[in-house]
Amino acid sequence: MDNDSQLVAIRNYIYNIFSDDASGHDFFHMKRVARMAKKIASNEQANPFICETAAWVHDIGDPKLFTDSTLAIKEMEVFLHKISCTHCQVDRVIRAIDDIAFHKGRIPETLEGKIVQDADRLDAIGAVGIARTFAYGGSNGQLLWHDDDARQRNTSIQHFYDKLLTLKDTMNTETAKEIAVHRHQFMEMYLQQFLQEWQ
């Protein structure tokens, strides 16, 4: 099976898992991250197949989304081998996605990992990132914002200050750094308008 055929199979695999997600971690998130990872890989002279594959599967095993993370990753490995990915390719994909989560606070060791981390974080900021923030908040019963300072902590707007506004300065590649600037500025403008309207 050639790389193009493998990527079609991976896309279908991901669609079957994430097509009904309403938390902002849906199939289209994976598709955007895969497309961005491919673009960054091209600019940064990285392996495009490893980057795109890792981007498609980067949320497999995320504890927020899977009750058994270890099982989900094992099943993904079996699937990748089934579509003729080599042991080396599977290992590189696993390494690429291992350290990308924000809560882990790590910088991936491999270039492919850095690229997928950048692509994932770019999808968390800007206009789509704003929409995903409220989708995730709503799916988890989170308030938009609150007049009481003590209750603001667990709101969707507070998430911008806790995480999203910090992402621009965590980008690994020059390509992602350039893209992040505009998306960051858009979020700042949005928050200013939101808080003005809230009052």
Side-chain angles (χ1 to χ4, degrees), residues 63-162:
K64 297 190 303 290
L65 308 172
F66 292 86
T67 53
D68 191 335
S69 299
T70 303
L71 177 62
I73 292 170
K74 288 288 185 189
E75 288 176 345
M76 178 195 72
E77 289 183 48
V78 169
F79 165 75
L80 291 175
H81 286 301
K82 185 178 177 181
I83 62 168
S84 304
C85 289
T86 67
H87 287 286
C88 179
Q89 287 173 326
V90 174
D91 287 346
R92 289 176 73 181
V93 167
I94 296 298
R95 283 193 70 194
I97 66 175
D98 191 42
D99 292 334
I100 69 169
F102 180 83
H103 74 272
K104 291 184 177 180
R106 300 178 192 162
I107 298 173
E109 294 180 3
T110 67
L111 177 58
E112 290 92 353
K114 290 175 181 175
I115 287 170
V116 175
Q117 185 178 70
D118 282 355
D120 187 35
R121 290 182 175 184
L122 285 170
D123 205 55
I125 62 177
V128 170
I130 291 169
R132 291 184 63 224
T133 298
F134 292 119
Y136 184 80
S139 71
N140 285 274
Q142 203 169 53
L143 296 174
L144 294 178
W145 187 234
H146 203 285
D147 287 337
D148 182 350
D149 289 349
R151 296 197 61 192
Q152 288 174 3
R153 191 79 197 135
N154 190 35
T155 63
S156 292
I157 289 295
Q158 185 60 42
H159 184 65
F160 285 85
Y161 299 102
D162 292 342

Side-chain angles (χ1 to χ4, degrees), residues 8-27:
V8 169
I10 291 165
R11 173 192 169 109
N12 293 338
Y13 177 78
I14 292 302
Y15 181 83
N16 289 332
I17 295 173
F18 292 103
S19 61
D20 292 331
D21 180 273
S23 73
H25 298 83
D26 56 9
F27 168 78

Side-chain angles (χ1 to χ4, degrees), residues 170-187:
T170 68
M171 298 296 163
N172 302 295
T173 63
E174 293 304 314
T175 303
K177 288 174 185 176
E178 291 177 13
I179 297 169
V181 170
H182 174 72
R183 295 189 184 194
H184 180 87
Q185 291 170 344
F186 185 85
M187 287 195 303

Side-chain angles (χ1 to χ4, degrees), residues 44-72:
E44 303 289 336
Q45 286 78 54
N47 184 302
F49 177 73
I50 297 299
C51 289
E52 190 172 354
T53 298
W56 273 113
V57 304
H58 76 278
D59 274 336
I60 297 287
D62 186 328
K64 297 190 303 290
L65 308 172
F66 292 86
T67 53
D68 191 335
S69 299
T70 303
L71 177 62

